[in-house]
Every structure is written in structure tokens, then in C-alpha cells.
Amino acid sequence: MGTRSVTRFWEWGRKIICVGRNFAEHAKELKNELPTEPVLFLKPPTAYVKEGSEILVPHYSSDLHHEVELGVVLGKAGREIPLSSAMEHVAGYALCLDMTARDVQDKCKAKGLPWTLAKAFDTSCPVSDFIPKERIPDPARVELWLKVNGVTRQRGSTAHMIFSVPYLISYISGVMALEEGDLILTGTPKGVGAVHEHDEIQAGIDDVISMTFKVSRRASITQ
Ligand SMILES: CC(=O)CC(=O)C(=O)O
Ligand SMILES: [Mg+2]
């Protein structure tokens, strides 16, 4: 990776590994069972979008949902990482949104199909600037919030995660090699809901960072 800095992880083209149903209250609101092991899915690096660009509703969805999440930026590669050394692989964090085409996801779930169309479309992963590890001394004490047009929709603490950040790093590294520049989205607290064209999403981590995105609609593709 030469002289590239992991502080601009979104430019590295690395994996985005997402954890689903990691907060009991969110699993309940979508009528999902509580997981006994982490539920994983992936987004491609083309999902990244930074402040200043818009979140695009995919042309095939009419129910795009926000999910605010803590992102963990990997600073050191590893496979089969022991729980005891998992935090040594963390370079820092990012505030992330796991934008989800809920109508499409519901159809995929009903048919037993993968969630790619619902979760992996362009602009499905808005991210903040890199947050150095020292600014978040304990990833189990992070207060996440999200507002749409100034109205609070989500507020939750990572203290309520079912699987902790070190556990997730260790678990995921037993499934796939983790690389420097990878990002792990650790799941959303309750309060997910729809956004529409022209809405403004503001999200933050108390005392650490906030970010703002506008929602727009992606023109349909003629084939
Ligand atoms: C049902 C979901 O979309 C799971 C998910 O992404 C989450 O954060 O929980
Ligand atoms: Mg999510």
C-alpha cells in the first residue's frame, strides 16, 4: 500500500464487512430472532460516500432506511486473530450508515436470497472522517445518534451490542483474512426508518464527530 494512510481508508478499495442484528432492540423491531453467532454480509468499496456527496435511493427501491453504526477501521492484517489481541488490529473508527433498501431486503429474506441488492448498492455506505483510536478509548461506550430533517430517529449505546468489537474481529478473522484498511460495521441500534429524496440525515457520536448527508434519487437505468 506504499505511503497511503489508513486515515483515508475509503480510498483503499478494501472490504466492508457488516454485522447484522447485533442489538436486541433492533432485531426485535424488525421481528428477527436474536443471533447466536454474528450475522455477516459485505458491501463493495464502491458503496462508500463522503460528506459533500449525496446518498442515492436505488431506482428499484421505494423504502430506503437509515442505520447508524460504529465502524472499526483495521490497521493490521490477520487471520484467526485471538480475542486477547484483537484490539491491536484496530487503527481507529468511523461513524457509518448502513443504508438499506428495506423493501428489497424483505423480498430477499422471504425468498431466501442474499441481501446484495438491498445493502451493496452505490452510496450504501456513507462514512465520516477517520477517528483515531485514542478518541474512543472504549468501543463499548459509544453513544450513536441519527436525525432526519432535525428529528431524532436513532439514539443508542454500543454498550448494548450482543457481540463486542474484539469478539467480532476475532470471529470475522476466522472466516476471512482481515486486511489493513478493511472496515467493520458493527450493527445498528433501534429506530431505523425510511428516508426520501431531499431529506437531510445528520448523524453523530456524542462528543466525537458528526456528519450530514442529503438524500437524492438515482435515475432509473434504461436497458
Ligand atoms: C436486518 C438488517 O438490516 C441487519 C443490519 O444491518 C443491522 O445493522 O442490524
Ligand atoms: Mg446494519
Side-chain angles (χ1 to χ4, degrees):
M1 278 296 149
T3 57
R4 278 207 286 182
S5 165
V6 79
T7 59
R8 294 179 70 82
F9 63 91
W10 58 90
E11 293 177 347
W12 284 47
R14 296 292 206 203
K15 301 184 287 302
I16 306 170
I17 307 127
C18 306
V19 180
R21 304 176 187 166
N22 201 21
F23 287 76
E25 291 295 317
H26 169 59
K28 264 195 235 163
E29 74 182 344
L30 292 188
K31 301 189 175 35
N32 292 314
E33 282 177 15
L34 292 191
T36 51
E37 56 185 285
V39 173
L40 302 182
F41 56 94
L42 295 169
K43 290 181 191 272
T46 43
Y48 279 128
V49 59
K50 292 284 297 164
E51 253 182 319
S53 297
E54 292 175 326
I55 297 170
L56 301 177
V57 184
H59 62 87
Y60 50 80
S61 173
S62 54
D63 193 22
L64 181 66
H65 276 203
H66 55 76
E67 296 188 1
V68 67
E69 309 200 5
L70 176 67
V72 179
V73 181
L74 271 285
K76 192 170 106 180
R79 278 196 174 91
E80 309 281 353
I81 299 169
L83 190 58
S84 56
S85 56
M87 290 307 289
E88 293 168 20
H89 293 257
V90 176
Y93 301 91
L95 176 63
C96 305
L97 304 183
D98 169 17
M99 298 306 297
T100 302
R102 196 70 72 198
D103 47 353
V104 179
Q105 187 190 32
D106 287 345
K107 282 185 202 150
C108 294
K109 276 159 110 178
K111 293 182 187 165
L113 294 172
W115 296 353
T116 309
L117 266 70
K119 294 280 199 179
F121 54 89
D122 293 348
T123 76
S124 62
C125 192
V127 289
S128 71
D129 285 342
F130 177 80
I131 304 167
K133 194 176 182 178
E134 309 72 56
R135 297 230 31 224
I136 297 189
D138 182 358
R141 299 210 181 287
V142 171
E143 295 293 326
L144 299 165
W145 58 266
L146 181 140
K147 295 179 188 184
V148 178
N149 302 328
V151 177
T152 301
R153 294 268 192 96
Q154 290 189 271
R155 177 165 269 286
S157 169
T158 55
H160 298 123
M161 281 183 181
I162 298 171
F163 303 107
S164 69
V165 167
Y167 183 86
L168 290 172
I169 292 169
S170 178
Y171 179 89
I172 295 166
S173 74
V175 177
M176 64 188 90
L178 286 173
E179 300 165 286
E180 193 180 359
D182 282 352
L183 177 71
I184 301 174
L185 266 62
T186 56
T188 196
K190 70 175 178 184
V192 301
V195 290
H196 304 100
E197 195 175 4
H198 309 306
D199 280 350
E200 186 181 79
I201 303 177
Q202 263 186 301
I205 296 175
D206 278 356
D207 305 323
V208 178
I209 206 161
S210 68
M211 62 185 187
T212 304
F213 285 90
K214 276 267 186 206
V215 179
S216 188
R217 194 156 185 104
R218 181 166 188 160
S220 106
I221 300 163
T222 40
Q223 298 182 0

